[in-house]
Amino acid sequence: MQEFDLEAEGLRALNSALHAQNNDTNQTAWEILNPKGSHAIAVGLDAPIDVTVKGSTGYYCGGMNQQANIHVAGSVGPGVAENMMSGTVVIDGDASQYAGATGHGGTLVIKGNASSRCGISMKGIDIIVHGNVGHMSAFMAQSGNLVVCGDAGDALGDSIYEARLFVRGSVKSLGADCIEKEMRPEHLAILADLLDRGGVDADPSEFKRYGSARKLYNFNIDNAY
Amino acid sequence: MTQNKTDGPPRTVPIQSATFSGSVNAEIRRAAATGIYDIRGGGAKRKLPHFDDLLFLGASMSRYPLEGYREKCETSVTLGTRYAAKPIELDIPITIAGMSFGALSGPAKEALGRGATLAGTSTTTGDGGMTVEERGHSNKLVYQYLPSRYGMNPNDLRKADAIEIVVGQGAKPGGGGMLLGQKISDRVAEMRNLPKGIDQRSACRHPDWTGPDDLEIKILELREITNWQVPIYIKVGGARPYFDTTLAIKAGADVVVLDGMQGGTAATQDVFIEHVGQPILACIREAVRALQDLGMHREVQLIVSGGVRTGADVAKCMALGADAVAIGTAALIALGDNDPRWEDEYQKLGTTAGAYDDWHEGQDPAGITTQDPDLMARFDPIEGGRRLNNYLKVMTLEAQTIARACGKNHLHNLEPEDLCAITMEAAAMARIPLAGTDWYPGKPGTSY
Ligand SMILES: Cc1cc2nc3c(=O)[nH]c(=O)nc-3n(C[C@H](O)[C@H](O)[C@H](O)COP(=O)(O)O)c2cc1C
């Protein structure tokens, strides 16, 4: 186990040490102490390592992650795991705005609540939120899955493309072109797998599925707002 | 003349309205028939105060010129000296602006890379991500970080020689992008992670930061990911250049890219292109003032664009305080866009060479702004690269000719004192004395 005191050694030293790891590294377990809300912790990683952050972080923790498993034993600021490509990021607490924004792949698990714009412009990432998500979540979401075990705020899935949204609780309102869709057996199977990966003990049949009505895909004046 | 046609009292001749001109009325009819605004490529087509409204004074009794092409006149520029470990060193201060793959074909991107590399300058990706063609053929490649994040991935980010965060574009400050369904080939769709054939909107604001304070943290993240190696540019449209430049510097930019309203676009609403933003001539001095007020002029470099066509334009930008320029439209024309040799085909498309701007429709006879394999095959990227290199060389020679005439041994030594303005508007916007006077509107110490 590599222990790293962020307060003592600084952000640059931390990210350089993590970037120095490659696929063959034998330093596979890292613990980051004293994050104290710092920004850009463990960004741009590209190695199969486990990183635990002992405390809460600022913006963009785990940004653009590839391969690594990042676990935050605390809450995270805006843009956690933004543009993630692969690997997993697990947050024990809550996440601020734009969690998982533009993520292309990998899995983001938020055990608390996520604020507004969770999964904005997502491009293939899977996001599992144990609690609620704020307004404008999955705005312009292109692909991937967003699972919300609690409630969703206003304008869920506004201008959504092909991402799948699963919500167990209430949805305050749906955004432009987002509609409720039939939950077919294949969706239940996809959701069961997501819940399993997110460590959620819930029955897939309690969820509703939302997605694109595909009415805004090609310009039509009658759909202009 | 209708006056003498018939007997009876004289009649007035038909008078066309200057307000409701033929083209205005045609647009009203087009709107009434279709119910959709006009979308097109290119930049503002209206006449605007521009670099043509400035002249160089040249050397005279009190200024000593340099000899023709023999005495040295340097053209190099280094971009990104503020924070980056590896600033970008260019032989000439003329860069190729970001133009999206999707809007342009793969071979066109390749040609831009080839031409820029031959000329010793950089080229820039665009919306839709980095293609292997352009990375492979560009010695210096600037990677755009755009609101859509189409094709954005850390592997390409790390391959970039600089990162350009696009906040806005001169053609549409405050607007996003649009790639209509007909141009979405399999390759474009795959890079953007969207279904084929649907309109692809590029968001107008970034998904994970909202203002300059957030942007500062975003820049920290990008620097951490790329280990503080490469410069980070911020590109803004010509909206509020003094404040935009100030805030870009505050957010941590190494380079500010400022694009005026003449700047080209691949596809935007005509109303946006013609009615939003300021001409580049009005923006440069304001941006330079911001840099100077913060003590950052030449420390943070300024690249300007929007209607740069000639070496004279380059020299004028430099004299007004820019470190380099970027060209988009002119580079496409050098590659063969809007060439009269395709006139028959332009006619079939209801237009004419020089006016063709429906780049979003993907039917470009010159094979540049298209994804159609047959049209693309008309364009030879090696020949295109050669032409672009020639053109960049000519622009550089022209700028040097002017600089030598002004007694400057480096393009960067050109200064506002080398210029005069021939219109009141240009004098006011560029803060350059009106020809024959020592005055410009708003000059401190004058009351009018
Ligand atoms: C075909 C085309 C595509 C463009 N695509 C982008 C783009 O993806 N991102 C961007 O920031 N600017 C884009 N631009 C704008 C250019 O980067 C640049 O600001 C502009 O072309 C400069 O003005 P000029 O065309 O008068 O030289 C595009 C311009 C053109 C002509």
Side-chain angles (χ1 to χ4, degrees), chain B residues 241-417:
Chain B
Y242 181 82
F243 296 107
D244 291 338
T245 305
T246 303
L247 292 170
I249 297 167
K250 187 254 169 200
D254 292 304
V255 174
V256 176
V257 181
L258 181 62
D259 188 29
M261 75 175 282
Q262 298 97 327
T265 170
T268 300
Q269 299 91 329
D270 176 78
V271 72
F272 216 140
I273 300 175
E274 296 287 358
H275 298 278
V276 186
Q278 300 203 54
I280 190 62
L281 188 68
C283 297
I284 301 177
R285 289 304 287 280
E286 281 295 275
V288 172
R289 185 166 70 89
L291 288 157
Q292 287 168 339
D293 284 355
L294 293 171
M296 286 288 179
H297 192 213
R298 309 293 185 207
E299 167 88 21
V300 167
Q301 287 79 32
L302 176 67
I303 301 178
V304 299
S305 60
V308 174
R309 308 148 297 174
T310 62
D313 290 351
V314 177
K316 289 169 190 176
C317 292
M318 311 280 290
L320 293 173
D323 295 276
V325 306
I327 57 166
T329 306
L332 298 187
I333 293 170
L335 297 188
D337 170 70
N338 264 297
D339 194 313
R341 67 193 276 227
W342 305 109
E343 181 60 21
D344 289 351
E345 298 192 38
Y346 290 127
Q347 292 284 338
K348 281 187 212 138
L349 295 171
T351 183
T352 184
Y356 176 64
D357 58 14
D358 285 329
W359 295 338
H360 57 288
E361 290 177 353
Q363 298 172 347
D364 183 1
I368 295 169
T369 59
T370 181
Q371 302 297 324
D372 178 295
D374 293 337
L375 292 172
M376 267 159 66
R378 293 180 177 182
F379 177 77
D380 175 358
I382 297 174
E383 167 66 8
R386 200 182 58 76
R387 293 173 59 90
L388 178 60
N389 175 40
N390 282 341
Y391 169 59
L392 290 167
K393 287 258 147 66
V394 170
M395 284 177 103
T396 306
L397 283 170
E398 288 174 345
Q400 285 172 304
T401 301
I402 287 173
R404 286 196 185 94
C406 297
K408 305 293 172 11
N409 63 3
H410 197 300
L411 294 183
H412 281 169
N413 296 339
L414 287 164
E415 53 196 328
E417 287 68 27

Side-chain angles (χ1 to χ4, degrees), chain B residues 97-100 126-127 144 166 169 235 259 262-264 266 306-307 327-329:
Chain B
M99 292 183 270
S100 53
D127 217 354
Q144 284 201 329
V166 179
Q169 250 179 270
K235 176 174 180 175
D259 188 29
Q262 298 97 327
I327 57 166
T329 306

Side-chain angles (χ1 to χ4, degrees), chain B residues 42-340:
Chain B
K45 291 190 169 182
R46 62 159 80 213
K47 187 157 171 46
L48 290 162
H50 200 37
F51 301 123
D52 292 339
D53 302 324
L54 300 179
L55 299 175
F56 281 98
L57 300 175
S60 54
M61 290 291 282
S62 60
R63 297 283 189 284
Y64 192 75
L66 299 183
E67 180 59 47
Y69 70 99
R70 289 164 186 253
E71 275 186 290
K72 222 178 193 151
C73 178
E74 300 274 358
T75 60
S76 63
V77 58
T78 306
L79 301 169
T81 49
R82 187 183 184 190
Y83 291 121
K86 291 186 190 152
I88 292 211
E89 316 237 352
L90 303 179
D91 296 340
I92 59 170
I94 310 163
T95 65
I96 306 302
M99 292 183 270
S100 53
F101 169 68
L104 301 188
S105 69
K109 291 296 281 177
E110 174 183 332
L112 293 174
R114 285 177 180 275
T117 300
L118 285 170
T121 189
S122 61
T123 182
T124 313
T125 66
D127 217 354
M130 185 188 284
T131 62
V132 277
E133 290 96 324
E134 64 183 340
R135 178 61 282 188
H137 292 285
S138 308
N139 184 20
K140 295 272 186 290
L141 182 60
V142 182
Y143 187 42
Q144 284 201 329
Y145 190 72
L146 293 120
S148 72
R149 309 280 163 88
Y150 288 139
M152 195 351 261
N153 68 77
N155 297 337
D156 288 344
L157 192 75
R158 285 186 278 254
K159 281 186 209 143
D161 299 294
I163 299 165
E164 180 169 300
I165 300 175
V166 179
V167 175
Q169 250 179 270
K172 46 176 175 179
M178 192 135 39
L179 196 58
L180 295 191
Q182 51 266 50
K183 275 180 86 168
I184 312 298
S185 65
D186 285 335
R187 184 177 177 202
V188 173
E190 196 195 315
M191 275 179 76
R192 297 177 180 226
N193 199 294
L194 280 171
K196 196 180 165 185
I198 74 168
D199 298 348
Q200 302 199 345
R201 286 168 189 275
S202 300
C204 61
R205 21 172 226 265
H206 281 261
D208 57 355
W209 60 269
T210 44
D213 296 334
D214 285 6
L215 178 55
E216 188 171 348
I217 307 170
K218 173 51 76 179
I219 288 178
L220 170 73
E221 183 205 9
L222 294 173
R223 290 203 195 274
E224 281 295 320
I225 291 172
T226 52
N227 290 314
W228 293 75
Q229 296 295 299
V230 300
I232 297 192
Y233 303 3
I234 294 180
K235 176 174 180 175
V236 290
R240 297 172 186 79
Y242 181 82
F243 296 107
D244 291 338
T245 305
T246 303
L247 292 170
I249 297 167
K250 187 254 169 200
D254 292 304
V255 174
V256 176
V257 181
L258 181 62
D259 188 29
M261 75 175 282
Q262 298 97 327
T265 170
T268 300
Q269 299 91 329
D270 176 78
V271 72
F272 216 140
I273 300 175
E274 296 287 358
H275 298 278
V276 186
Q278 300 203 54
I280 190 62
L281 188 68
C283 297
I284 301 177
R285 289 304 287 280
E286 281 295 275
V288 172
R289 185 166 70 89
L291 288 157
Q292 287 168 339
D293 284 355
L294 293 171
M296 286 288 179
H297 192 213
R298 309 293 185 207
E299 167 88 21
V300 167
Q301 287 79 32
L302 176 67
I303 301 178
V304 299
S305 60
V308 174
R309 308 148 297 174
T310 62
D313 290 351
V314 177
K316 289 169 190 176
C317 292
M318 311 280 290
L320 293 173
D323 295 276
V325 306
I327 57 166
T329 306
L332 298 187
I333 293 170
L335 297 188
D337 170 70
N338 264 297
D339 194 313

